[in-house]
Amino acid sequence: IDIGCNLAGLQLSCCILNASGPRTNTEQQLMDIARSSSGALCSKSATLEERSGNPQPRYTEIQLGDRTASINSEGLPNKGFAAYSDSSFLQRLKECSEPHGKPYIFSISGLSLKENLEMLDRLAESPDVLQHLSAVEVNVACPNVPGKPLVGYDFPQFAEVVQTMSRHPLFTKDCVLGFKLPPYLDAPLFDAVAKMLNEIALGRGGALGYVVCCNTLGSALAVDIETETTVLHPKGGFGGLGGQLVRHLALGNVRHLRSRLDDSIHVVGCGGVATGEDAFAHILCGATAVQVATQHRVEGPQCFERIASELRELMQRKGYTQLEDFRGKLRVRE
Ligand code: RRO
């Protein structure tokens, strides 16, 4: 049973991969993903300079039976652009992911369009980095940086970002562009985002390989009854909701965007994936591949092998031998 996929030209031997965010900050964490069954390697969203992120406590889990939801207000802690684009580090990552290596997806989340373009320029000028780089995933959906509203909810600004970045020369050089989107909640917004991506990113020389549906849902609040305080400290206690509590919202976002985007733009599902069944549901809704965030944080990188083997077992039970047998084939009940 083959659970490999072609993600906008990238060959993944397993359609389950890590999401940017949990356990993606340090070299050691990325090495551990390289050694795991994750179908690709996605780094923590980078800014030009290193950031320590928001003050603690900035992460909490909500237990729902045997499933987990999360709220985070990390505030974009990362080692800085240079750390995730160091060619000798990327070489070591590749050696850890032998025999075949796996695609390296560089997530960026500059604090301005200028900062994002600066990072693209630097990548385009470094052939020794480019040889290790499969994709750049531009995160337009971080809910947790004080004073920085989400680009993905500000359509004029988002359109400018898409227009400028999708025409960067980096994306003519065997490097795929992806966008990590925030969750949307209303049909006209899906229409608007899809129209913008179809027209701006694909028209007139643009290049867009995939979108990820979706990042965490902002403005979630965890409350401690005993102390009568917020559970998290930064930003008044608000944070991004992920895991089990956004699973169905993520499936809806995958389905809505898959039905509106040009066939050449792939959709990656992300949200509440903890089992092979969850991954199956995302693919049934149209996802090419599936990212795991909260469950990766909870369980560690062995989650990829477990979810992959659960997906294979489910496919076997249903008589499917490859993902194309059911991808996007969700039927609406009569
Ligand atoms: O670091 C974070 O606070 C963070 C980021 Br950049 C993001 O994209 N999504 C999220 O839930 N947290």
Side-chain angles (χ1 to χ4, degrees):
I1 291 180
D2 181 8
I3 60 164
C5 64
N6 178 323
L7 172 60
L10 305 181
Q11 218 48 57
L12 275 60
S13 60
C14 170
C15 66
I16 315 291
L17 65 143
N18 77 286
S20 179
R23 297 181 188 258
T24 50
N25 199 328
T26 67
E27 282 199 12
Q28 185 58 54
Q29 290 171 324
L30 292 169
M31 291 287 189
D32 290 345
I33 300 168
R35 286 191 203 94
S36 79
S37 297
S38 174
L41 235 170
C42 185
S43 54
K44 172 70 187 173
S45 295
T47 47
L48 261 180
E49 303 303 329
E50 182 171 9
R51 289 170 58 90
S52 55
N54 290 338
Q56 306 276 359
R58 62 192 194 186
Y59 176 79
T60 191
E61 283 171 4
I62 303 137
Q63 208 55 44
L64 302 151
D66 59 356
R67 291 181 175 257
T68 312
S70 62
I71 302 178
N72 86 86
S73 182
E74 302 282 343
L76 203 37
N78 75 93
K79 302 288 176 202
F81 172 83
Y84 305 112
S85 59
D86 179 277
S87 58
S88 68
F89 170 56
L90 299 185
Q91 179 63 37
R92 276 181 284 132
L93 271 185
K94 182 179 271 174
E95 285 158 12
C96 282
S97 14
E98 290 308 335
H100 306 298
K102 57 179 78 165
Y104 179 66
I105 303 173
F106 190 170
S107 172
I108 65 172
S109 191
L111 301 177
S112 63
L113 175 54
K114 184 166 170 281
E115 187 175 335
N116 275 332
L117 289 171
E118 168 86 35
M119 289 190 271
L120 297 188
D121 287 345
R122 290 200 198 178
L123 291 172
E125 286 159 9
S126 320
D128 50 337
V129 178
L130 276 180
Q131 61 162 332
H132 297 294
L133 190 67
S134 298
V136 174
E137 189 175 293
V138 180
N139 181 6
V140 293
C142 175
N144 300 327
V145 179
K148 291 283 170 190
L150 260 86
V151 171
Y153 288 152
D154 176 348
F155 282 18
Q157 194 193 347
F158 189 16
E160 190 194 357
V161 165
V162 170
Q163 158 92 21
T164 315
M165 299 191 83
S166 66
R167 281 167 183 71
H168 194 279
L170 178 64
F171 303 114
T172 56
K173 291 183 188 168
D174 265 356
C175 180
V176 169
L177 170 64
F179 283 106
K180 175 89 165 256
L181 304 179
Y184 298 101
L185 305 179
D186 197 19
L189 299 181
F190 291 106
D191 292 340
V193 171
K195 184 169 191 285
M196 190 267 286
L197 294 174
N198 287 338
E199 288 178 4
I200 300 185
L202 290 185
R204 288 163 287 126
L208 175 59
Y210 71 90
V211 295
V212 185
C213 299
C214 35
N215 207 310
T216 55
L217 180 62
S219 291
L221 188 59
V223 169
D224 188 312
I225 299 300
E226 283 313 309
T227 58
E228 302 180 11
T229 64
T230 63
V231 173
L232 304 187
H233 173 71
K235 286 192 77 177
F238 294 102
L241 184 66
Q244 170 67 5
L245 285 173
V246 300
R247 182 156 64 100
H248 299 278
L249 180 62
L251 292 174
N253 272 252
V254 168
R255 170 94 164 157
H256 269 308
L257 279 172
R258 181 61 286 156
S259 68
R260 288 166 171 80
L261 288 173
D262 187 275
D263 286 345
S264 69
I265 304 175
H266 290 226
V267 174
V268 175
C270 181
V273 175
T275 68
E277 289 192 0
D278 302 334
F280 185 93
H282 269 281
I283 297 162
L284 197 61
C285 290
T288 301
V290 177
Q291 294 184 345
V292 185
T294 297
Q295 188 63 27
H296 176 211
R297 178 155 179 162
V298 169
E299 183 179 346
Q302 58 273 30
C303 71
F304 305 112
E305 179 57 38
R306 178 185 56 76
I307 295 169
S309 51
E310 289 171 359
L311 175 61
R312 277 192 217 95
E313 273 168 39
L314 178 57
M315 286 170 63
Q316 179 156 38
R317 179 158 69 73
K318 287 172 172 280
Y320 295 141
T321 57
Q322 51 183 3
L323 303 179
E324 290 74 54
D325 294 344
F326 62 97
R327 179 181 294 121
K329 294 190 176 165
L330 181 70
R331 287 175 288 110
V332 177
R333 176 158 290 177
E334 298 285 316

